[in-house]
Amino acid sequence: PRVNSSLSSDELLLEDLETEGERQLKSLLQQQLDTTVSIEQCKSKRRCFAPAAFYKPFGEEAAGALTLSQFQALEESNKETSSLRELGLSDSEILLWK
């Protein structure tokens, strides 16, 4: 922060203080004005997004009266299926795996 040394800390002028938002804007402006960027730097800043999650509730299988052990087994099977789906396997590949 830019502070006038002749003023006490209680008398600081708000116009003389640089806010966090102003610092962020200056930083973004400097990044935009910097034209000495290489392709490698651009590639290193590239963001990769994870594929969308596929949610399939197991409400149909859990409908009705189940014991706790049956429900836990169903939930464990559902966790295994969802982890296999996250690995990129299709439904037919998951059935083949099981």
Side-chain angles (χ1 to χ4, degrees):
R2 294 173 283 155
V3 178
N4 190 347
S5 61
S6 65
L7 297 175
S8 69
S9 61
D10 293 336
E11 299 172 338
L12 290 176
L13 295 175
L14 292 178
E15 297 89 29
D16 290 340
L17 295 177
E18 183 180 28
T19 65
E20 181 65 28
E22 290 171 336
R23 282 192 288 259
Q24 291 290 331
L25 287 173
K26 284 181 185 178
S27 172
L28 290 172
L29 178 64
Q30 289 301 320
Q31 287 178 8
Q32 288 182 344
L33 294 176
D34 184 17
T35 58
T36 60
V37 179
S38 68
I39 297 293
E40 288 77 24
Q41 288 173 329
C42 291
K43 284 182 181 179
S44 70
K45 289 184 179 181
R46 190 185 79 156
R47 296 182 180 168
C48 296
F49 294 97
F54 180 76
Y55 176 70
K56 184 178 177 185
F58 61 93
E60 292 177 5
E61 296 104 7
L66 295 177
T67 64
L68 178 60
S69 60
Q70 289 173 328
F71 183 79
Q72 287 172 336
L74 181 63
E75 189 176 31
E76 194 63 37
S77 173
N78 188 42
K79 284 181 185 177
E80 180 186 14
T81 302
S82 64
S83 65
L84 290 172
R85 193 170 283 125
E86 287 174 6
L87 292 173
L89 297 177
S90 66
D91 287 338
S92 59
E93 292 170 332
I94 291 172
L95 288 174
L96 182 63
W97 172 261
K98 287 186 172 187

